[in-house]
Amino acid sequence: MMKSPNNFKGYYYSLFMISLMLCLGARSQLTTDFYSQTCPSLLSTVRKQVQSAIKTEMRMAASLLRLHFHDCFVNGCDASVLLDGDNSTEKFALANVNSARGFEVIDAIKSAVESSCSGVVSCADILAIAARDSVVLSGGPTWGVLLGRRDGLVSNGTLANAALPSPFEALDAIIQKFVDVGLNITDVVSLSGGHTIGLAKCATFDNRLFNFSGTGAPDSTMEATMLADLQSFCPVNGDSNRFTALDRNSTDLFDNHYFKNLLSGKGLLGSDQILYSSDLAVSTTKSLVESYSSNSKLFFNDFVNSMIKMGNISPLTGTNGEIRKNCRAVNS
């Protein structure tokens, strides 16, 4: 039976709508070449700024990596961690207050990017690129950063307090927080490997040094020489804001040394050492720690995959969110 002209119109209209939906669906996915036409100088501009910041202060590499992590775990990778505001914002969450840093570097990157492509690039994408560049410039692996995120309109400190892993938590609680955002046990271990660079305050680990979990004794999983060093560096009633290296004897190099330290009881944070020494680790994370400690290529590969997965947590795309003019404030 022949289709009438009206049927043909309806048929082709349906085809057109399906094609349009497929195109829009594809557009809403992140891509490595998202800004190739609209801001071709983006990657070199960000790299130059990150390079300058790390040259000024090597520790900034770890700080920028951590900002991206703390952004993605709360409402997805939407640059909500950058928003200024009252004490209900993410900047005032326990894991961030007097701790998250690098905001001025992000401001400088945004300013440089705006000079060449105004109103085009999101702060969320700048965070993702800066995190990658920080790893590369510290001697770590590179990867193509997926782009096309837009910036969120809300910063939720309450959610940040609930969602961000803490150095004092048990392994099952940490694993659950990763699962809650679509990540798995491999991601827990590989992303913890980001602690191969950076520093931590006494306040984040001194609970292990003297009276661990109310035992009246130090954490028995900490290596003796390291324990003695840290007890004198972070004495009872001392300055809890003093900093020491997360990766003892390999502070600024992005490598697999962090995992070698865990094998000998030299993890700094409780949340580091439990990946190897806790009872639950035997059936979950311990074998990965051992593999990464002897195979840096495997660690680098898994870290890259986990960073790409983490960068893909609930991004705002299409017409959702906005492209902020100033990374610290929603557009008026």
Side-chain angles (χ1 to χ4, degrees):
M1 190 176 82
M2 290 242 338
K3 285 187 170 77
S4 72
N6 282 344
N7 279 349
F8 269 119
K9 275 182 192 167
Y11 173 70
Y12 283 115
Y13 178 74
S14 299
L15 273 185
F16 168 74
M17 288 307 291
I18 289 166
S19 303
L20 183 64
M21 285 164 73
L22 285 172
C23 285
L24 289 172
R27 273 303 300 278
S28 73
Q29 301 306 305
L30 305 182
T31 59
T32 54
D33 61 354
F34 189 84
Y35 298 107
S36 59
Q37 302 299 314
T38 54
C39 193
S41 62
L42 172 63
L43 296 180
S44 59
T45 303
V46 176
R47 176 65 62 95
K48 191 175 171 187
Q49 292 294 324
V50 174
Q51 211 154 12
S52 167
I54 292 174
K55 196 175 175 184
T56 304
E57 184 197 19
M58 195 66 203
R59 179 190 169 204
M60 189 53 70
S63 300
L64 293 173
L65 176 58
R66 186 167 181 255
L67 266 189
H68 180 47
F69 177 89
H70 281 214
D71 179 36
C72 291
F73 265 64
V74 186
N75 272 338
C77 310
D78 65 348
S80 55
V81 73
L82 302 178
L83 289 171
D84 284 341
D86 60 25
N87 60 9
S88 68
T89 61
E90 289 167 43
K91 282 186 177 178
F92 286 88
L94 290 173
N96 292 329
V97 69
N98 299 320
S99 172
R101 59 198 297 280
F103 300 110
E104 297 78 10
V105 176
I106 298 300
D107 292 340
I109 297 171
K110 177 67 169 172
S111 175
V113 169
E114 287 294 302
S115 297
S116 48
C117 354
S118 181
V120 171
V121 181
S122 68
C123 300
D125 278 345
I126 286 173
L127 276 175
I129 301 166
R132 187 273 311 271
D133 286 356
S134 294
V135 170
V136 173
L137 293 169
S138 301
T142 190
W143 63 95
V145 180
L146 293 170
L147 301 167
R149 301 169 192 80
R150 288 166 65 86
D151 298 321
L153 307 175
V154 182
S155 183
N156 187 335
T158 306
L159 181 58
N161 279 327
L164 289 169
S166 153
F168 310 112
E169 284 181 311
L171 183 54
D172 57 345
I174 291 170
I175 290 172
Q176 189 56 53
K177 287 183 176 183
F178 276 71
V179 170
D180 288 345
V181 292
L183 301 177
N184 61 31
I185 287 173
T186 301
D187 303 316
V188 172
V189 184
S190 64
L191 292 173
S192 294
H195 287 173
T196 178
I197 54 175
L199 307 174
K201 291 179 182 178
C202 291
T204 59
F205 59 83
D206 60 8
N207 65 306
R208 305 180 66 202
L209 303 182
F210 300 99
N211 181 20
F212 182 60
S213 298
T215 58
D219 184 344
S220 61
T221 64
M222 188 180 284
E223 189 268 339
T225 307
M226 177 169 161
L227 174 63
D229 288 350
L230 293 176
Q231 284 175 331
S232 61
F233 187 77
C234 307
V236 177
N237 301 323
D239 179 3
S240 62
N241 288 316
R242 292 187 79 187
F243 289 98
T244 191
L246 280 161
D247 187 4
R248 193 174 169 90
N249 300 325
S250 176
T251 311
D252 296 320
L253 185 62
F254 197 100
D255 56 14
N256 67 335
H257 189 268
Y258 163 87
F259 297 104
K260 295 181 181 185
N261 273 345
L262 298 187
L263 266 58
S264 52
K266 293 178 185 170
L268 185 66
L269 306 179
S271 54
D272 293 326
Q273 195 58 48
I274 55 173
L275 297 174
Y276 184 73
S277 300
S278 64
D279 292 341
L280 183 58
V282 176
S283 60
T284 54
T285 54
K286 184 175 182 176
S287 61
L288 269 174
V289 171
E290 291 169 337
S291 297
Y292 293 160
S293 73
S294 61
N295 188 339
S296 62
K297 189 178 177 190
L298 176 66
F299 164 48
F300 278 13
N301 285 343
D302 283 359
F303 180 80
V304 163
N305 289 333
S306 295
M307 284 295 290
I308 292 168
K309 276 176 73 179
M310 185 182 79
N312 225 346
I313 297 171
S314 309
L316 297 170
T317 56
T319 55
N320 294 317
E322 64 182 13
I323 304 299
R324 270 182 229 151
K325 294 182 176 73
N326 168 5
C327 289
R328 294 172 179 264
V330 295
N331 299 339
S332 54

